[in-house]
Amino acid sequence: MGERNASADAIVAAACRLLAELGSHDKLSLSAVAEAARVSRPTLYRWFATREDLLVAIAAHQEKRFYEGLAEALDTETTPAGRLDAALRYLVTYLDETFGVASPLIEPGMTVRSLTVSLPKQTATWVRLLGDAIARVPAVRAGELSVEQAAEIFLRLAYSHYLIPSPAPEVLLQCMRSMAGLRVKSPA
């Protein structure tokens, strides 16, 4: 069982690195992934019979990485405001670090589909991890938005930064902090 996981994990990790280099799922071949993972093609096909199987595994890997990173960002924060600020900072940086600036421009249809599928689960996770912090957002306190709606808005704002990259991500973060009712420091 351990060998299976190690092989599959090595293949997915290699595929993620290769995808970052290629910039497009269309250019990703199973042969190139096998070479990058330093496994034989039969080993790769044993775990990922098709390219689509591998793409599903890559998406699951990236999703897991997102949730682990969010949990890590929140781990040291003890106040609701600190947790919300940490989550906002994480959102602003995660997509750029994971996919790079050009990725949504290369495959916009796949990008939008992926984000659409991810949004409900990410919203639910944000509500679960940050519900008390999001409840302090001024529009939520005023009864204008639910906690779920506010969480979704923050995620959609981060998605917009990914889809239409901002030359100044710190400005986006400052705007999100302001919307959250957090103290906003002037950009340096």
Side-chain angles (χ1 to χ4, degrees):
M1 181 84 169
E3 179 188 346
R4 175 192 167 285
N5 288 337
S7 293
D9 290 346
I11 292 166
V12 171
C16 288
R17 286 190 307 274
L18 196 54
L19 247 174
E21 290 173 22
L22 297 173
S24 172
H25 293 89
D26 291 337
K27 296 177 184 177
L28 187 70
S29 73
L30 292 179
S31 296
V33 171
E35 184 179 325
R38 297 179 182 201
V39 299
S40 67
R41 286 175 57 183
T43 298
L44 182 132
Y45 289 125
R46 179 177 171 201
W47 305 120
F48 306 103
T50 67
R51 205 171 145 276
E52 286 66 35
D53 291 340
L54 181 59
L55 291 175
V56 167
I58 290 169
H61 170 79
Q62 290 169 337
E63 183 176 309
K64 179 182 177 203
R65 198 173 140 252
F66 174 82
Y67 293 120
E68 288 172 351
L70 178 60
E72 185 179 317
L74 298 175
D75 191 42
T76 60
E77 299 298 333
T78 57
T79 66
R83 288 194 341 271
L84 183 55
D85 189 54
L88 293 174
R89 279 192 321 268
Y90 182 73
L91 268 180
V92 170
T93 59
Y94 172 80
L95 292 169
D96 283 346
E97 290 175 357
T98 301
F99 303 107
V101 174
S103 182
L105 304 175
I106 294 169
E107 298 189 49
M110 179 173 239
T111 299
V112 171
R113 282 190 302 278
S114 175
L115 293 174
T116 301
V117 168
S118 299
L119 183 60
K121 185 174 181 182
Q122 289 179 354
T123 299
T125 299
W126 262 56
V127 169
R128 181 174 50 78
L129 295 177
L130 298 161
D132 61 332
I134 297 170
R136 296 171 185 244
V137 169
V140 175
R141 282 196 326 250
E144 297 165 355
L145 293 175
S146 69
V147 169
E148 292 79 9
Q149 290 169 324
E152 184 176 321
I153 287 170
F154 287 123
L155 289 163
R156 287 179 180 273
L157 283 170
Y159 288 180
S160 73
H161 170 63
Y162 173 58
L163 294 170
I164 307 167
S166 169
E170 188 62 31
V171 172
L172 172 64
L173 177 58
Q174 297 296 48
C175 291
M176 291 172 69
R177 284 173 170 158
S178 181
M179 288 177 56
L182 300 172
R183 292 186 181 202
V184 179
K185 297 176 185 174
S186 303

